[in-house]
Amino acid sequence: MARFLSVFIILVLSGQTMVVSANDTPFDLVIVNARIVDGTGNPWFSGSIAIKDGRIAKVGRFDTAATKSVIDAKGQIVAPGFIDVHTHTEDIYNNPKAENFVRMGVTSLVTGNCGGSDLNIGAFLGRIKTKPLAVNIASLVGHNTVRSKVLGLDNRAPTPEEQIRMNELVEKAMREGAVGLSTGLIYLPGTFATTEEVVELAKAASKFGGIYASHIRDEGAEVVKAIEEAINIGEQAKMPVEISHFKISSKALWGRGAMTLGLVRSARERGVVVTVDQYLYAASSTSLDSRIPSWAIAGGREEGRKRLADAETRKKVAKEMKDELKKKKFKDFSFAYVASYRAEPKFNGKNIKEVAKLARGKDNLDNQIEQIFEMYDKDGASMVYQVMSEDDVRTFIREPFTMVASDSGVRAFGSGVPHPRGYGNNARVLGQYVRELKIITLEDAIRKMTSLPAQTFNLRDRGLIREGLAADLVIFDENTVSDKATFDQPHQYAVGFSNVIVNGEVVFDGEKMTGIMPGQPLYGLGKAN
């Protein structure tokens, strides 16, 4: 038996045993002189990491002579590749390098968030065979996508037959490899859904081991009710809950982070698995349409235009918008910055008050609202909203159940004035919140970006530096890693990363993307063979 073990290395992965012959050396790649932060949250240790056939073959101290290629990581940290569980990358095949993600250490993406996904999950994930990606990709199935397919954008409850049809679409997506169900309950048509409707869909996903990931119904004045609803849905469906981009976007509630976190802690204490994700900026980003009451734009843009063309309806909508501002303790829309407005690109980077002054000659609140209506009429805009408190951001990141996620898409370098999180989120955690502010440790920050996301979304062979697991790795200098992207100049890549490795292949060499596309689809537990 001893002789047998000297010939073979036994690796256990996700309940399956892999047998790797010792005669299979040399290794494809060995990283030497590494300070290894393995993703568990444990302190770093020194050693080497050997890679063969896309997987981690050996970790620790061993003879590294027999290898095809060596990376000397002296003075640097080697960690598992970062997993971003909240992205909007349905269009990733149009920009398969995903350079903005890779250059901040991200090797795996979860898309389909906020209720919006590709309806055909199997085809979406399978496309990687003919259109290779630099990163791994997983997807949720979106409630808004499913509801739109069955009910359109109508403001009504589904009939029993329609509910069954929606359930069937969710089940189909789960069998095709979706990792769970997502909702975006502030967006059309999700805003029209009752809790009961979502519970039924969540149950359909739960049968296949899925997670419930929610952009909750309100992140401002009604945030407590919205968090309670999300937890309730997961509890009824008997599935884990993941609350997306956890925040408080009402100035009236700034500083009350302990209250919202307390709801999560309480649920966990009674046995409900609840986690949250967070981007490390005191500003959010979503559409301009979200400023307009959902009833006013139900049925789609054409219906919304018709309603806003009616003078009385327009006055009613404007009043609701003013009331909402007062409730959240904002005096006007100067917190709302244009990220991308195709009709007038010169507005990009300016806030609505500035845009109103530029376009209408006056910047009072009435003119700001009229400007929003005009921009909605011209197909809307992507926005950045400065509505959060930095103190709350710091409070949330300390929690053990908080993950790091960008809420970003794949960026076309130089296009528009998007939120800087798409270029700097992970680097910002390491540079500002670990090194400069010392709010969390390096090891815990990496855990929040690796093993915790992998555990939460059942990505079973990612997120840790362990023999037998996929060789997704990132090498960086903890003393220089930093985000460069700003709200004024967001198109700046993160710095401090010397290598990013996906499935054993170097996709970023510290200076440039290598052009290698080794990404793989990451399937949920319900994937049918």
Side-chain angles (χ1 to χ4, degrees):
M1 179 61 72
R3 182 181 178 188
F4 179 85
L5 291 178
S6 70
V7 178
F8 294 94
I9 302 168
I10 308 300
L11 303 177
V12 179
L13 171 62
S14 300
Q16 296 180 335
T17 301
M18 297 174 56
V19 182
V20 182
S21 170
N23 295 325
D24 284 347
T25 55
F27 301 119
D28 297 326
L29 173 66
V30 174
I31 303 168
V32 299
N33 299 319
R35 287 206 291 158
I36 300 170
V37 180
D38 65 5
T40 62
N42 289 337
W44 66 268
F45 61 96
S46 61
S48 299
I49 302 170
I51 297 169
K52 186 166 182 62
D53 298 329
R55 295 198 170 269
I56 298 170
K58 218 163 195 180
V59 180
R61 297 180 181 277
F62 53 89
D63 183 3
T64 62
T67 185
K68 297 175 183 178
S69 182
V70 175
I71 294 176
D72 188 345
K74 185 176 182 179
Q76 297 185 85
I77 299 296
V78 181
F82 304 149
I83 301 170
D84 192 329
V85 299
H86 193 105
T87 72
H88 295 277
T89 49
E90 285 71 39
D91 63 345
I92 190 170
Y93 294 105
N94 296 328
N95 195 345
K97 292 192 298 183
E99 189 167 1
N100 58 302
F101 287 106
V102 170
R103 290 180 61 146
M104 59 177 171
V106 176
T107 58
S108 296
L109 306 173
V110 179
T111 192
N113 284 283
C114 295
S117 71
D118 195 298
L119 186 62
N120 191 333
I121 297 296
F124 173 76
L125 295 176
R127 193 178 173 193
I128 202 170
K129 295 177 182 177
T130 56
K131 187 73 172 179
L133 304 176
V135 295
N136 306 306
I137 188 78
S139 184
L140 297 145
V141 57
H143 166 234
N144 288 350
T145 299
V146 169
R147 197 179 209 272
S148 296
K149 178 68 175 178
V150 178
L151 280 79
L153 299 178
D154 292 351
N155 182 3
R156 65 177 178 85
T159 65
E161 294 75 18
E162 288 169 334
Q163 182 73 59
I164 290 171
R165 177 58 181 147
M166 288 195 291
N167 293 352
E168 290 172 344
L169 288 174
V170 170
E171 291 184 10
K172 175 178 177 289
M174 296 301 296
R175 285 193 296 269
E176 291 177 352
V179 294
L181 171 73
S182 79
T183 54
L185 298 177
I186 72 161
Y187 300 118
L188 297 182
T191 186
F192 305 136
T194 63
T195 302
E196 290 71 26
E197 174 186 320
V198 180
V199 166
E200 290 306 305
L201 296 174
K203 287 179 178 178
S206 180
K207 289 191 296 185
F208 298 88
I211 189 170
Y212 174 62
S214 182
H215 179 148
I216 56 179
R217 204 175 291 272
D218 192 292
E219 295 169 330
E222 302 296 325
V223 65
V224 168
K225 290 181 181 178
I227 293 172
E228 290 173 338
E229 180 188 34
I231 294 170
N232 177 36
I233 290 168
E235 204 161 8
Q236 289 193 57
K238 296 180 172 57
M239 68 196 304
V241 176
E242 205 276 317
I243 300 177
S244 301
H245 37 63
F246 202 75
K247 66 171 75 75
I248 296 175
S249 60
S250 170
K251 189 182 289 188
L253 293 177
W254 284 359
R256 303 289 297 279
M259 171 189 65
T260 56
L261 288 170
L263 299 171
V264 178
R265 294 192 199 105
S266 178
R268 292 183 64 87
E269 286 170 3
R270 66 176 185 269
V272 185
V273 179
V274 186
T275 54
V276 307
D277 69 58
Q278 173 193 24
Y279 47 81
L280 279 297
Y281 299 82
S284 62
S285 180
T286 189
S287 68
L288 181 67
D289 295 11
S290 65
R291 297 300 102 186
I292 301 173
S294 58
W295 65 264
I297 54 178
R301 198 165 300 276
E302 285 305 314
E303 292 301 313
R305 286 170 177 149
K306 290 177 185 177
R307 292 190 191 95
L308 291 174
D310 176 77
E312 288 304 311
T313 301
R314 199 177 184 95
K315 285 172 59 177
K316 181 180 178 182
V317 173
K319 183 180 184 304
E320 283 195 25
M321 292 169 70
K322 291 177 181 178
D323 290 344
E324 186 68 14
L325 283 177
K326 290 179 182 177
K327 188 187 300 184
K328 294 183 176 180
K329 303 296 183 183
F330 292 107
K331 63 180 181 180
D332 59 22
F333 289 96
S334 56
F335 63 83
Y337 287 78
V338 180
S340 179
Y341 181 49
R342 292 181 181 177
E344 286 287 355
K346 67 181 180 182
F347 294 164
N348 293 348
K350 295 180 173 59
N351 65 45
I352 289 296
K353 185 175 182 178
E354 293 169 333
V355 171
K357 181 69 172 178
L358 184 64
R360 313 176 73 83
K362 296 181 180 179
D363 63 4
N364 59 38
L365 184 55
D366 286 334
N367 276 281
Q368 292 175 42
I369 291 173
E370 284 299 317
Q371 186 60 37
I372 290 172
F373 291 159
E374 180 180 324
M375 293 169 71
Y376 171 82
D377 185 69
K378 294 181 179 178
D379 294 327
S382 175
M383 306 292 294
V384 171
Y385 297 115
Q386 301 276 2
V387 292
M388 297 152 62
S389 159
E390 174 63 23
D391 287 342
D392 288 336
V393 172
R394 297 181 186 189
T395 296
F396 299 147
I397 193 60
R398 291 185 175 99
E399 287 299 312
F401 49 72
T402 300
M403 293 173 284
V404 173
S406 68
D407 195 9
S408 178
V410 177
R411 294 299 179 212
F413 194 87
S415 177
V417 189
H419 198 298
R421 64 195 182 193
Y423 286 96
N425 192 50
N426 296 81
R428 184 176 177 83
V429 173
L430 299 169
Q432 182 165 338
Y433 292 86
V434 172
R435 185 179 64 239
E436 296 178 11
L437 297 176
K438 296 179 172 56
I439 288 175
I440 55 175
T441 65
L442 175 66
E443 290 84 355
D444 196 38
I446 289 173
R447 182 188 66 84
K448 291 172 178 291
M449 297 189 281
T450 58
S451 67
L452 181 57
Q455 171 185 292
T456 302
F457 282 78
N458 287 306
L459 308 179
R460 292 189 168 186
D461 62 347
R462 317 276 157 174
L464 290 169
I465 296 179
R466 287 286 186 272
E467 294 176 6
L469 300 194
D472 293 346
L473 301 165
V474 58
I475 306 174
F476 64 91
D477 185 338
E478 65 176 318
N479 298 307
T480 63
V481 65
S482 180
D483 63 310
K484 294 297 183 183
T486 65
F487 286 101
D488 292 332
Q489 296 183 348
H491 296 285
Q492 300 185 75
Y493 292 119
V495 298
F497 295 92
S498 62
N499 288 98
V500 179
I501 298 167
V502 177
N503 295 309
E505 302 283 355
V506 177
V507 297
F508 177 66
D509 66 8
E511 295 182 358
K512 64 183 185 305
M513 299 291 290
T514 64
I516 300 172
M517 298 288 182
Q520 296 180 1
L522 304 179
Y523 294 109
L525 299 179
K527 174 71 166 67
N529 294 327

